[in-house]
């Protein structure tokens, strides 16, 4: 039996998930990596509180990676859809929109509290 993960789901659109995706690829992981963020854009460093960002200037400066990073590194990014359910026994997360994503490993990197 092979215990190596093939599907990793990263939940959260912040620095932790973005850096986890980067590290997985840099360390040679070649399985499926899916990053799920409930916000409508790619991961960014929080909190973006500079005057420039609040005025709509320099927004790209807050993103963790350039716009093409995720495609270039084979990371599927699901934005604008939160994880609604985690089924550890089945190894799936289900988003609010109803998409079921398989996982062997799961990183919950959200700021939410239970």
């Amino acid at each position: 039996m092979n215990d190596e993960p093939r599907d990793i789901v990263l939940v959260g659109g912040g620095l932790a998930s973005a850096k986890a995706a980067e590290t997985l690829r840099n360390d040679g992981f070649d399985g499926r990596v899916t990053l799920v963020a409930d916000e409508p854009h790619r991961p960014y460093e929080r909190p973006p509180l500079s005057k420039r960002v609040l005025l709509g200037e320099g927004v790209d400066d807050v993103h963790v990676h350039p716009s093409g990073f995720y495609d270039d590194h084979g990371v599927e990014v699901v934005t604008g859809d939160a994880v609604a359910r985690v089924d550890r026994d089945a190894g799936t997360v289900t988003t609010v929109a109803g998409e079921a994503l398989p996982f062997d490993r799961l990183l919950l990197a959200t700021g939410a509290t239970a």
Side-chain angles (χ1 to χ4, degrees), residues 37-41 78-82:
D38 62 352
E39 295 174 318
H41 44 76
V78 177
T79 57
D81 196 6

Side-chain angles (χ1 to χ4, degrees), residues 8-86:
I8 297 178
V9 174
L10 311 169
V11 179
L15 184 62
S17 289
K19 287 300 191 175
E22 177 183 335
T23 299
L24 285 164
R25 291 304 189 219
N26 285 345
D27 288 353
F29 179 73
D30 64 354
R32 182 179 181 196
V33 176
T34 306
L35 189 153
V36 182
D38 62 352
E39 295 174 318
H41 44 76
R42 69 184 189 276
Y44 66 96
E45 294 190 49
R46 294 172 172 89
L49 297 178
S50 76
K51 266 189 186 177
R52 288 182 56 214
V53 171
L54 294 173
L55 293 172
E57 303 166 2
V59 174
D60 285 337
D61 298 341
V62 299
H63 289 106
V64 179
H65 297 110
S67 61
F69 173 86
Y70 300 98
D71 286 338
D72 293 347
H73 289 85
V75 176
E76 179 183 349
V77 178
V78 177
T79 57
D81 196 6
V83 169
R85 175 174 159 70
V86 175

